[in-house]
mmCIF file with all atom_site columns, all heavy atoms in Angstrom:
data_model
loop_
_atom_site.group_PDB
_atom_site.id
_atom_site.type_symbol
_atom_site.label_atom_id
_atom_site.label_alt_id
_atom_site.label_comp_id
_atom_site.label_asym_id
_atom_site.label_entity_id
_atom_site.label_seq_id
_atom_site.pdbx_PDB_ins_code
_atom_site.Cartn_x
_atom_site.Cartn_y
_atom_site.Cartn_z
_atom_site.occupancy
_atom_site.B_iso_or_equiv
_atom_site.pdbx_formal_charge
_atom_site.auth_seq_id
_atom_site.auth_comp_id
_atom_site.auth_asym_id
_atom_site.auth_atom_id
_atom_site.pdbx_PDB_model_num
ATOM 1  N N   . ASN A 1 73 ? 112.949 93.252 139.469 1.00 0.00 ? 73 ASN A N   1
ATOM 2  C CA  . ASN A 1 73 ? 112.191 92.426 140.414 1.00 0.00 ? 73 ASN A CA  1
ATOM 3  C C   . ASN A 1 73 ? 110.693 92.627 140.282 1.00 0.00 ? 73 ASN A C   1
ATOM 4  O O   . ASN A 1 73 ? 109.949 92.624 141.273 1.00 0.00 ? 73 ASN A O   1
ATOM 5  C CB  . ASN A 1 73 ? 112.626 92.727 141.857 1.00 0.00 ? 73 ASN A CB  1
ATOM 6  C CG  . ASN A 1 73 ? 114.097 92.448 142.085 1.00 0.00 ? 73 ASN A CG  1
ATOM 7  O OD1 . ASN A 1 73 ? 114.651 91.484 141.539 1.00 0.00 ? 73 ASN A OD1 1
ATOM 8  N ND2 . ASN A 1 73 ? 114.748 93.298 142.874 1.00 0.00 ? 73 ASN A ND2 1
ATOM 9  N N   . TRP A 1 74 ? 110.226 92.790 139.056 1.00 0.00 ? 74 TRP A N   1
ATOM 10 C CA  . TRP A 1 74 ? 108.787 92.935 138.811 1.00 0.00 ? 74 TRP A CA  1
ATOM 11 C C   . TRP A 1 74 ? 108.237 91.535 138.544 1.00 0.00 ? 74 TRP A C   1
ATOM 12 O O   . TRP A 1 74 ? 108.077 91.097 137.428 1.00 0.00 ? 74 TRP A O   1
ATOM 13 C CB  . TRP A 1 74 ? 108.550 93.861 137.622 1.00 0.00 ? 74 TRP A CB  1
ATOM 14 C CG  . TRP A 1 74 ? 107.153 94.413 137.568 1.00 0.00 ? 74 TRP A CG  1
ATOM 15 C CD1 . TRP A 1 74 ? 106.108 93.941 136.827 1.00 0.00 ? 74 TRP A CD1 1
ATOM 16 C CD2 . TRP A 1 74 ? 106.659 95.543 138.289 1.00 0.00 ? 74 TRP A CD2 1
ATOM 17 N NE1 . TRP A 1 74 ? 105.000 94.692 137.030 1.00 0.00 ? 74 TRP A NE1 1
ATOM 18 C CE2 . TRP A 1 74 ? 105.298 95.702 137.927 1.00 0.00 ? 74 TRP A CE2 1
ATOM 19 C CE3 . TRP A 1 74 ? 107.213 96.436 139.202 1.00 0.00 ? 74 TRP A CE3 1
ATOM 20 C CZ2 . TRP A 1 74 ? 104.495 96.697 138.450 1.00 0.00 ? 74 TRP A CZ2 1
ATOM 21 C CZ3 . TRP A 1 74 ? 106.414 97.432 139.713 1.00 0.00 ? 74 TRP A CZ3 1
ATOM 22 C CH2 . TRP A 1 74 ? 105.081 97.564 139.342 1.00 0.00 ? 74 TRP A CH2 1
ATOM 23 N N   . PHE A 1 75 ? 107.937 90.835 139.646 1.00 0.00 ? 75 PHE A N   1
ATOM 24 C CA  . PHE A 1 75 ? 107.677 89.401 139.581 1.00 0.00 ? 75 PHE A CA  1
ATOM 25 C C   . PHE A 1 75 ? 106.341 89.049 138.941 1.00 0.00 ? 75 PHE A C   1
ATOM 26 O O   . PHE A 1 75 ? 106.089 87.881 138.633 1.00 0.00 ? 75 PHE A O   1
ATOM 27 C CB  . PHE A 1 75 ? 107.759 88.803 140.981 1.00 0.00 ? 75 PHE A CB  1
ATOM 28 C CG  . PHE A 1 75 ? 109.119 88.955 141.615 1.00 0.00 ? 75 PHE A CG  1
ATOM 29 C CD1 . PHE A 1 75 ? 109.292 89.735 142.745 1.00 0.00 ? 75 PHE A CD1 1
ATOM 30 C CD2 . PHE A 1 75 ? 110.226 88.344 141.054 1.00 0.00 ? 75 PHE A CD2 1
ATOM 31 C CE1 . PHE A 1 75 ? 110.535 89.892 143.320 1.00 0.00 ? 75 PHE A CE1 1
ATOM 32 C CE2 . PHE A 1 75 ? 111.480 88.492 141.622 1.00 0.00 ? 75 PHE A CE2 1
ATOM 33 C CZ  . PHE A 1 75 ? 111.644 89.271 142.756 1.00 0.00 ? 75 PHE A CZ  1
ATOM 34 N N   . ALA A 1 76 ? 105.456 90.019 138.754 1.00 0.00 ? 76 ALA A N   1
ATOM 35 C CA  . ALA A 1 76 ? 104.163 89.712 138.152 1.00 0.00 ? 76 ALA A CA  1
ATOM 36 C C   . ALA A 1 76 ? 104.294 89.335 136.675 1.00 0.00 ? 76 ALA A C   1
ATOM 37 O O   . ALA A 1 76 ? 103.391 88.727 136.105 1.00 0.00 ? 76 ALA A O   1
ATOM 38 C CB  . ALA A 1 76 ? 103.220 90.914 138.294 1.00 0.00 ? 76 ALA A CB  1
ATOM 39 N N   . GLN A 1 77 ? 105.415 89.676 136.039 1.00 0.00 ? 77 GLN A N   1
ATOM 40 C CA  . GLN A 1 77 ? 105.610 89.336 134.640 1.00 0.00 ? 77 GLN A CA  1
ATOM 41 C C   . GLN A 1 77 ? 106.661 88.244 134.507 1.00 0.00 ? 77 GLN A C   1
ATOM 42 O O   . GLN A 1 77 ? 107.433 87.978 135.434 1.00 0.00 ? 77 GLN A O   1
ATOM 43 C CB  . GLN A 1 77 ? 106.018 90.571 133.841 1.00 0.00 ? 77 GLN A CB  1
ATOM 44 C CG  . GLN A 1 77 ? 107.310 91.216 134.287 1.00 0.00 ? 77 GLN A CG  1
ATOM 45 C CD  . GLN A 1 77 ? 107.545 92.543 133.584 1.00 0.00 ? 77 GLN A CD  1
ATOM 46 O OE1 . GLN A 1 77 ? 106.648 93.101 132.968 1.00 0.00 ? 77 GLN A OE1 1
ATOM 47 N NE2 . GLN A 1 77 ? 108.760 93.052 133.683 1.00 0.00 ? 77 GLN A NE2 1
ATOM 48 N N   . GLY A 1 78 ? 106.673 87.607 133.335 1.00 0.00 ? 78 GLY A N   1
ATOM 49 C CA  . GLY A 1 78 ? 107.543 86.444 133.150 1.00 0.00 ? 78 GLY A CA  1
ATOM 50 C C   . GLY A 1 78 ? 109.009 86.774 133.185 1.00 0.00 ? 78 GLY A C   1
ATOM 51 O O   . GLY A 1 78 ? 109.833 85.927 133.544 1.00 0.00 ? 78 GLY A O   1
ATOM 52 N N   . PRO A 1 80 ? 111.150 89.345 135.079 1.00 0.00 ? 80 PRO A N   1
ATOM 53 C CA  . PRO A 1 80 ? 111.054 90.399 136.091 1.00 0.00 ? 80 PRO A CA  1
ATOM 54 C C   . PRO A 1 80 ? 112.124 91.478 135.992 1.00 0.00 ? 80 PRO A C   1
ATOM 55 O O   . PRO A 1 80 ? 111.941 92.582 136.491 1.00 0.00 ? 80 PRO A O   1
ATOM 56 C CB  . PRO A 1 80 ? 111.199 89.635 137.408 1.00 0.00 ? 80 PRO A CB  1
ATOM 57 C CG  . PRO A 1 80 ? 111.956 88.403 137.045 1.00 0.00 ? 80 PRO A CG  1
ATOM 58 C CD  . PRO A 1 80 ? 111.516 88.035 135.668 1.00 0.00 ? 80 PRO A CD  1
#
Side-chain angles (χ1 to χ4, degrees):
N73 300 323
W74 198 263
F75 298 115
Q77 61 188 14

